[in-house]
Amino acid sequence: GAGVSQSPRYKVTKRGQDVALRCDPISGHVSLYWYRQALGQGPEFLTYFNYEAQQDKSGLPNDRFSAERPEGSISTLTIQRTEQRDSAMYRCASSPTGVDAFFGQGTRLTVV
Amino acid sequence: TQLLEQSPQFLSIQEGENLTVYCNSSSVFSSLQWYRQEPGEGPVLLVTVVTGGEVKKLKRLTFQFGDARKDSSLHITAAQPGDTGLYLCAGAPTGTASKLTFGTGTRLQVTL
């Protein structure tokens, strides 16, 4: 596609439910990143992939968070047993070189 | 943990004025990017600098990477209302291909 596509754009879920956030990167981009962004602040790194391999997951807050990119393209960030503190904007980015990042519009997650 | 401090945090100026935003760290980066983000959108890449002392110009925007690759600046000449937004610097740590660390952000408002 023309840009990084994320779905859903908005997700409201009840505390304790699992959620899956999807990212469709720019075609051909090798690297895919997940970030979390609080209002008015810069994105905070969660994890990234080169092709299908997860290279670094040091930014994932705890073991309720996981991510996969099984075929080296679309990626899913899953949050199990959601808590109110998980509410945030989750952003995906992709890169052809691993340096420049192109961001999607994000998924606004609200846990009630 | 590598931190990027941006200053100022907020800047409100009138159209036609010049301004400089600073991005500072105690860590060395292999490259540094500048992004602009508008409300409701993802960060948009403006420039990448990779060499110490490098200067890049993008119309009225001038970006400089410090000689030691620990800091950077963004200078805007004759600011326009369209320059309004959140400006973010982001550094890629030396020795790694990815995992950007974002700065604290500078919110710029340009009024008529």
Side-chain angles (χ1 to χ4, degrees):
Chain A
V4 177
S5 177
Q6 290 187 248
S7 61
R9 288 289 309 277
Y10 304 92
K11 177 69 177 180
V12 180
T13 189
K14 290 186 177 180
R15 190 175 49 190
Q17 296 293 307
D18 298 350
V19 295
L21 311 181
R22 174 188 165 119
C23 173
D24 195 348
I26 295 173
S27 179
H29 278 197
V30 169
S31 301
L32 184 148
Y33 313 88
W34 283 100
Y35 287 87
R36 183 165 66 177
Q37 187 174 19
L39 195 63
Q41 297 182 18
E44 178 186 27
F45 172 81
L46 296 176
T47 185
Y48 88 92
F49 296 81
N50 282 342
Y51 299 104
E52 73 282 357
Q54 191 169 23
Q55 299 293 322
D56 188 326
K57 57 180 181 178
S58 62
L60 296 176
N62 50 61
D63 60 8
R64 296 186 296 106
F65 288 73
S66 63
E68 62 175 9
R69 194 187 184 196
E71 297 180 0
S73 179
I74 293 169
S75 177
T76 302
L77 176 69
T78 301
I79 309 173
Q80 295 179 312
R81 305 180 302 280
T82 53
E83 301 177 5
Q84 285 189 321
R85 60 177 171 160
D86 299 333
S87 296
M89 177 69 82
Y90 288 84
R91 296 203 184 275
C92 175
S94 68
S95 174
T97 61
V99 176
D100 303 345
F102 298 86
F103 282 84
Q105 289 188 298
T107 294
R108 167 73 64 189
L109 175 66
T110 303
V111 182
V112 298
Chain B
T1 302
Q2 297 175 303
L3 296 175
L4 280 168
E5 296 287 338
Q6 287 185 236
S7 61
Q9 271 191 296
F10 302 98
L11 193 54
S12 181
I13 62 173
Q14 290 190 320
E15 183 180 19
E17 292 186 31
N18 301 332
L19 66 118
T20 302
V21 177
Y22 299 94
C23 173
N24 294 294
S25 175
S26 58
S27 303
V28 176
F29 293 97
S30 62
S31 67
L32 193 138
Q33 291 91 50
W34 283 93
Y35 295 80
R36 180 171 66 214
Q37 185 174 18
E38 298 184 19
E41 301 294 326
V44 175
L45 179 66
L46 298 175
V47 77
T48 298
V49 286
V50 297
T51 305
E54 182 176 3
V55 177
K56 280 192 174 180
K57 291 191 175 184
L58 184 65
K59 297 183 180 178
R60 296 176 293 101
L61 278 60
T62 302
F63 306 86
Q64 184 163 7
F65 201 11
D67 291 340
R69 291 186 290 131
K70 293 182 179 181
D71 54 83
S72 180
S73 65
L74 158 60
H75 183 78
I76 301 179
T77 304
Q80 299 178 359
D83 296 328
T84 294
L86 178 67
Y87 287 81
L88 296 161
C89 62
T94 301
T96 65
S98 297
K99 189 179 176 179
L100 293 174
T101 298
F102 278 83
T104 48
T106 294
R107 185 162 297 283
L108 171 66
Q109 182 172 20
V110 182
T111 56
L112 293 171

